[in-house]
Amino acid sequence: MAAVATQHGSAIGSNNSSRSNRHTYMTSGYIVAQLARASSLSNDNAAQSNNNSSSNNDNNDNNGATGKISVQPRVDQQEIFDNPAMQTATKCCVFIKEIARKMGFPARTASTAQLLVYRTYIYRPTTRIGSTDLATGCLLVSSKMEETIKKLRDIIAYSYVLLSKPQSSQSDPKQVASSVIDKMRPNVMNAEQLILEAIGYDFRTSHTHLLFVKLAKMAGLTRESAVATSGWAILLDAYFTTLPIQYPSTVISAGSLVLAWCINADEPKDTCSFIRHVFMSSDNNSSHHSNGGYSTLPKTKSKRPPTLALESDNEWWVDFGVSTTDIQGFVKQMVDFYLLFFNSTMATAEYLERHKHGIPNKSISQKIAQWRLKLSDTSSK
């Protein structure tokens, strides 16, 4: 059995032992293996059902029927996004983003709902519950977890309006008929039950957004500064991936700030050398980011500094219990996520369709692409 990850330990799927039982995190390899296992079991059940049906009809011709269908796990982040369950999860996240925006939910509620989507689809990738019902259910559960509760009727009404995409006047959720609400309610309630079972009734959350704001203030950044706005956009985009399941909030917040600083620097030499090393090293499979998930934490100082110096090569994140390995891993996977929309060999119709809905942030995607091009030019000289 794979080791369980904790706030003070290692990720699921790694060889390090844990020392606490506060939060669990997963490596990318574990996520893909879990998805493959669930898909394999689903295929096995379908094959068994077909075999039983064939035998009941006295069809003795097996046509070379085989046993288990082998699905090899893959550890590349792109392959996670290409998994059908993860593609459906991404569509759910888009749906949640739109409902949350229209209903005035805070960013933390929307992000928690998106996190619930991925946690549910990782353990229940073959669920027959509709993606819209699941997305609505995740937002309902998230609103309770974050204490930003709204009436179920209102959430369903906004979901219906967004789903039906009315062309003219029937765009007011208050005008949705009660019969429509009553018809959708059981499906959403079933989705809520599935979500609770998938997450093991674990309602603990970590407020990444609040921590990011604190780090930005400690770095002396104003709300309107390019680094702060870029970092905030990166943080929100991270919830359209599995990274919040792979890393704790401290890594997500610090990593978003570090990446934002790098892409807004005038020259590659002005960016953090620890991050440059990830992309300029000739060995792309080096050990510092091969794990794909949360590693053991470094020793922290007794007192955290009152300010942060982003422009220095000091590993300031260590003072917040974040290892350089985790920062590098988070940045590497986020950059890969953004570059999926600029690499011609990867820009499939599915990726382009997501980009139309603002996933990821187009402005940040362009900055990431330009920054990587500068790094490539520097390393080739």
Side-chain angles (χ1 to χ4, degrees):
M1 185 67 180
V4 176
T6 69
Q7 183 73 12
H8 303 287
S10 58
I12 290 178
S14 70
N15 296 323
N16 297 324
S17 61
S18 60
R19 303 194 301 269
S20 178
N21 192 28
R22 185 177 179 186
H23 290 292
T24 57
Y25 302 97
M26 310 174 190
T27 63
S28 56
Y30 178 88
I31 292 173
V32 175
Q34 180 65 30
L35 291 169
R37 175 178 175 273
S39 298
S40 180
L41 290 176
S42 177
N43 290 333
D44 287 345
N45 292 336
Q48 183 65 33
S49 177
N50 291 334
N51 289 337
N52 292 339
S53 176
S54 178
S55 62
N56 291 336
N57 292 327
D58 296 326
N59 292 327
N60 295 323
D61 183 11
N62 293 326
N63 295 324
T66 60
K68 291 186 176 181
I69 298 176
S70 176
V71 181
Q72 297 296 328
R74 302 164 294 184
V75 296
D76 186 80
Q77 186 73 13
Q78 180 193 351
E79 299 300 339
I80 294 179
F81 297 137
D82 285 342
N83 185 281
M86 295 295 96
Q87 290 182 2
T88 304
T90 303
K91 294 177 180 179
C92 288
C93 289
V94 174
F95 196 72
I96 288 172
K97 175 184 176 182
E98 291 301 314
I99 297 179
R101 181 179 62 83
K102 292 180 179 296
M103 296 191 69
F105 278 114
R108 71 177 189 275
T109 302
S111 295
T112 299
Q114 292 167 330
L115 181 63
L116 291 174
V117 167
Y118 280 107
R119 289 178 64 184
T120 301
Y121 272 108
I122 286 174
Y123 289 107
R124 302 289 192 276
T126 58
T127 178
R128 295 184 178 181
I129 292 180
S131 59
T132 302
D133 295 327
L134 188 68
T136 306
C138 285
L139 188 58
L140 174 64
V141 175
S142 175
S143 67
K144 297 176 182 179
M145 293 172 62
E146 297 295 343
E147 298 183 350
T148 55
I149 301 175
K150 293 184 184 292
K151 293 180 179 180
L152 175 58
R153 187 205 181 283
D154 294 339
I155 298 178
I156 293 177
Y158 275 91
S159 174
Y160 174 77
V161 170
L162 183 60
L163 181 64
S164 59
K165 296 181 179 179
Q167 300 296 324
S168 57
S169 59
Q170 197 175 359
S171 60
D172 187 0
K174 295 181 180 180
Q175 297 179 357
V176 176
S178 298
S179 59
V180 174
I181 303 297
D182 293 339
K183 184 178 180 180
M184 295 179 63
R185 189 189 304 271
N187 296 333
V188 175
M189 298 301 292
N190 289 336
E192 181 185 24
Q193 184 62 35
L194 175 71
I195 295 162
L196 297 178
E197 292 175 356
I199 67 175
Y201 294 88
D202 185 356
F203 303 108
R204 292 169 294 185
T205 59
S206 54
H207 295 134
T208 308
H209 309 77
L210 180 60
L211 180 57
F212 176 85
V213 172
K214 290 182 178 179
L215 292 177
K217 288 182 178 180
M218 293 176 66
L221 301 175
T222 62
R223 185 174 182 178
E224 296 78 15
S225 65
V227 175
T229 54
S230 296
W232 184 259
I234 293 170
L235 184 145
L236 295 181
D237 282 342
Y239 281 89
F240 287 97
T241 73
T242 59
L243 290 177
I245 298 177
Q246 298 174 230
Y247 298 102
S249 59
T250 48
V251 176
I252 304 298
S253 301
S256 299
L257 190 58
V258 169
L259 180 55
W261 171 262
C262 290
I263 64 176
N264 283 282
D266 294 331
E267 298 293 337
K269 63 180 179 63
D270 298 328
T271 63
C272 179
S273 62
F274 304 105
I275 302 303
R276 291 201 309 271
H277 173 71
V278 175
F279 300 100
M280 298 177 69
S281 173
S282 58
D283 183 9
N284 291 328
N285 295 317
S286 57
S287 60
H288 58 255
H289 60 76
S290 60
N291 181 48
Y294 186 31
S295 65
T296 54
L297 292 179
K299 294 182 179 179
T300 57
K301 298 180 181 179
S302 58
K303 284 188 177 182
R304 293 179 177 177
T307 59
L308 302 179
L310 297 180
E311 68 276 4
S312 71
D313 268 341
N314 295 327
E315 300 177 65
W316 56 264
W317 44 83
V318 174
D319 296 328
F320 297 87
V322 178
S323 70
T324 300
T325 300
D326 289 336
I327 290 290
Q328 292 172 324
F330 171 82
V331 170
K332 173 66 168 57
Q333 294 185 72
M334 277 303 295
V335 170
D336 289 345
F337 171 64
Y338 281 112
L339 292 183
L340 286 175
F341 299 88
F342 287 88
N343 188 326
S344 59
T345 62
M346 298 180 184
T348 64
E350 179 66 30
Y351 293 131
L352 296 177
E353 181 65 23
R354 296 181 203 171
H355 215 349
K356 291 179 181 179
H357 295 283
I359 304 174
N361 183 288
K362 191 171 184 179
S363 174
I364 301 300
S365 298
Q366 293 173 343
K367 286 187 176 182
I368 292 286
Q370 293 171 356
W371 176 63
R372 285 292 286 116
L373 182 60
K374 290 181 179 179
L375 289 180
S376 300
D377 292 342
T378 302
S379 61
S380 62
K381 293 179 180 180

